[in-house]
Amino acid sequence: ATVTLDGTEHGAGEYLFENLVPGTYSYQVKHQEYFDESGEVEITDEDVSLVIELQKDDTSVLLAEEVNISVFPNPASSRINIEAGTIINEVHLIDMIGVTVMHTLVNDKNHTLNVAGLKDGLYFIQVVTEAGTKTKRVQIVN
């Protein structure tokens, strides 16, 4: 974490600020993947200890470009292979009007969908991975 005390930023490490003149100082604590924390601390003639607990920021969203997915063959007639650089959690096959025609839970970097018997047409494969979600268009021909 970085700590900014009274406008001066201090790099990562354990923090001990000595010889501060009594008064009120503003602080801000920043750490990647955590929400920033800020406030004020009052310094007196005694030692002051301040414990800051940062809250994990799990609201970030990976860009779709960061999720590497391969879907083949395209067009497909009987099966579609899906390969990912990370664990695939689930796969949705969605038709052009938005109806999910197939949903599969996975727990692997590779998966094969059996599409034999589906109507010819364009579909979307939505692949949900540990790194994010990516949607690809596929054509099914029998």
Side-chain angles (χ1 to χ4, degrees):
T2 58
V3 173
T4 303
L5 181 66
D6 204 31
T8 303
E9 185 174 300
H10 303 272
E14 291 189 24
Y15 305 96
L16 175 63
F17 301 100
E18 297 180 302
N19 303 320
L20 294 173
V21 177
T24 302
Y25 293 84
S26 61
Y27 67 85
Q28 183 175 35
V29 181
K30 292 184 175 186
H31 190 286
Q32 188 175 358
E33 299 180 15
Y34 290 84
F35 289 109
D36 295 351
E37 191 68 40
S38 60
E40 292 184 339
V41 60
E42 186 174 344
I43 303 299
T44 60
D45 287 332
E46 299 175 6
D47 289 344
V48 175
S49 178
L50 184 64
V51 176
I52 309 285
E53 290 188 32
L54 299 178
Q55 300 297 314
K56 183 86 169 155
D57 179 1
D58 55 5
T59 61
S60 65
V61 177
L62 292 174
L63 298 174
E65 297 85 44
E66 296 177 17
V67 181
N68 187 18
I69 305 289
S70 296
V71 175
F72 60 93
N74 191 7
S77 59
S78 60
R79 67 176 175 230
I80 298 173
N81 299 303
I82 304 165
E83 294 179 355
T86 186
I87 296 293
I88 300 169
N89 296 326
E90 50 188 292
V91 174
H92 304 264
L93 185 65
I94 305 164
D95 67 14
M96 289 302 289
I97 60 172
V99 175
T100 299
V101 295
M102 193 178 293
H103 173 251
T104 307
L105 296 176
V106 185
N107 189 23
D108 201 347
K109 291 184 177 184
N110 303 306
H111 186 69
T112 301
L113 284 180
N114 181 354
V115 295
L118 290 178
K119 293 181 182 179
D120 289 2
L122 293 175
Y123 292 81
F124 295 102
I125 291 185
Q126 185 180 61
V127 182
V128 180
T129 72
E130 293 179 336
T133 301
K134 184 113 181 203
T135 302
K136 299 255 187 174
R137 187 179 68 188
V138 296
Q139 183 176 6
I140 295 177
V141 294
N142 290 311

